Amino acid sequence: MLRNGDSLTLNEKTYPNCYLHRSSPNDVARTEHLTFICSPEKEDAGPTNNWMDPEGAKHKVGALLDGAMRGRTMYVIPYIMGPASSPISQMGVEITDSPYVAASMRIMSRMGKIAMDRLGSSSEFVPGLHSVGDLDPLRRYIVHFPQEKLIWSVGSGYGGNALLGKKCFALRIASVMAREQGWMAEHMLILGLESPGGKVTYMAAAFPSSCGKTNLAMMVSALENQGYRVWTVGDDISWMKIGEDGYLHAINPEAGFFGVAPGTGLKTNPNVMSAITRNTLFTNVALTADRQPWWEGFNDAPPPEMINWKGERWDSSKGPAAHPNARYTVPAKQSPSISPKWEAPEGVPISAFIFGGRRARVAPLVYESFDWKHGVFLGATMASETTAAATGDIGVTRRDPMAMLPFCGYNMADYFQHWLEMGKRIPHPPKIFHVNWFRRGADGKFLWPGYGENVRVLKWILERIEGRGEAQETRIGYVPARNGLTLDGLSISTEALGKLFEVNPEDWQGELEDTQQFFAKFGDRLPQELRDEHRRLAHRLETAVSA
Ligand code: O2Y
Ligand code: MN
């Protein structure tokens, strides 16, 4: 990689064992429209996935893969998703012609000898075949065969398209395995909240892209002086099985963080800024004159001289210096916030699920579901407003149930049913909450400071888990009672607080209509319990309007 110029060594003094990799400029992000679920029946992929019939997919994509690696080095990557000795972990083998993928998989999974030792002579692994092909987006396909538990990917060398252990295996294929075998594979961070006595309570949270998932997982708590500290178990994916103690136990199947660099800085995520100063692979970031990585949001002002992500001399007329989806790939153990339990074979017991989205209006700062079924409804109706970086559109509301829309390997109606079934089977199910850090006031400004201050919301969630948090019932769920949220040391007006928790019946009416439309996509396959929850919410809101 260094020889052919795709990758460069960074400043050995300030960034030891760090590299910059530049991808092809037409291969810079996951490509949902080229991602397919190839179940034998189209209905089993559902209305939210692209579908190809398995035979057709093998023919079409097989033709592109045929001979694609000729003249290149083929890497065989045996890997474990999850801690090496955990019974919740799973094995995969990726075949690839990309050294960048091999290097990234070394960070993101437990790979090589450790995986061969676990695999032994077993044939129980998920095979993945990957070739960068000719990198032409017109010949790019990421196809999943859920019945065979098989992944093929051609035409991209980037991220979720190419590191097959991550989204392809740990979410799309694993979600199918989880449903078949009675466990959960979720697009969730896992964190531990330490309270003053030293006890740690674990929570898993699902947010769509651009909602600060990694920042929450690695948060430096604003209440550290009161004994509340956040520990990171994982920042993206959670695999959970019911433990002998009746709790849902979660592992992080990954070994590293593949995070978005732009917007990451000392103010937003000091832990990751410390982690990425060694053994880190940067992709599509800018390069300073002294060979250090840089991106928008790194610090307040760009250095005077830089090379942009495409390798050109940068000036501000050329747009951002780093690509908006530029990445760092860093071993998780390097984060100062990494939990001592992050590799516990038995996983960590989950006491709360947190769903969230980016909503300028509608959703309060935090609310708790009435029960599991209502919580599944909150997850199933989750939505977020797009940011420019993600789609080019600003402020368009996208439904993204449980943040799994692009990652569920089967019909999402069946996925909702699986959630409902799990609720019946878990003796001590997590409580379910919804948060929104992004509500805005009439002046368009954010009402809540976010980042480390979000620990105040986690503290209330913890108190609810422990049965002591004060709450007030509203039409949509429980919100913190007056004085329920710890606000000392934070300057926030009573008016802003009122707005943060407002449940506006008109906004919610719009929400009801939108969710109705979204649910209609699933036809008869949508579980009756979710229709009932929708009706109940409509009824509660109607009484609010007539009152
Ligand atoms: O653009 C990509 O290929 C990466 S997408 C990604 C990376 C890390 C964690 N989450 C995501 C995501 O899209 O959810
Ligand atoms: Mn993700």
Side-chain angles (χ1 to χ4, degrees), residues 212-244:
K213 203 163 145 199
T214 301
N215 295 346
L216 181 67
M218 302 172 88
M219 176 211 291
V220 174
S221 154
L223 297 179
E224 234 173 63
N225 56 356
Q226 293 185 27
Y228 292 91
R229 180 173 180 166
V230 171
W231 294 102
T232 313
V233 178
D235 81 326
D236 196 38
I237 299 176
S238 172
W239 283 356
M240 294 169 280
K241 284 194 175 164
I242 303 172
E244 276 167 18

Side-chain angles (χ1 to χ4, degrees), residues 247-259:
Y247 285 86
L248 203 52
H249 280 248
I251 61 158
N252 169 9
E254 300 188 281
F257 305 126
F258 179 62

Side-chain angles (χ1 to χ4, degrees), residues 166-167 171 187 209 213 235-237 407:
K166 193 172 175 60
K167 303 298 187 179
L171 288 175
H187 190 199
S209 313
K213 203 163 145 199
D235 81 326
D236 196 38
I237 299 176
F407 306 120

Side-chain angles (χ1 to χ4, degrees), residues 420-438:
L420 293 162
E421 297 304 326
M422 287 301 292
K424 292 176 205 155
R425 292 189 41 227
I426 309 167
H428 301 294
K431 276 179 169 281
I432 302 182
F433 298 81
H434 187 284
V435 300
N436 174 22
W437 318 129
F438 303 96

Side-chain angles (χ1 to χ4, degrees), residues 28-39:
V28 290
R30 272 190 308 109
T31 44
E32 282 172 29
H33 62 293
L34 304 173
T35 301
F36 292 80
I37 300 297
C38 306
S39 47

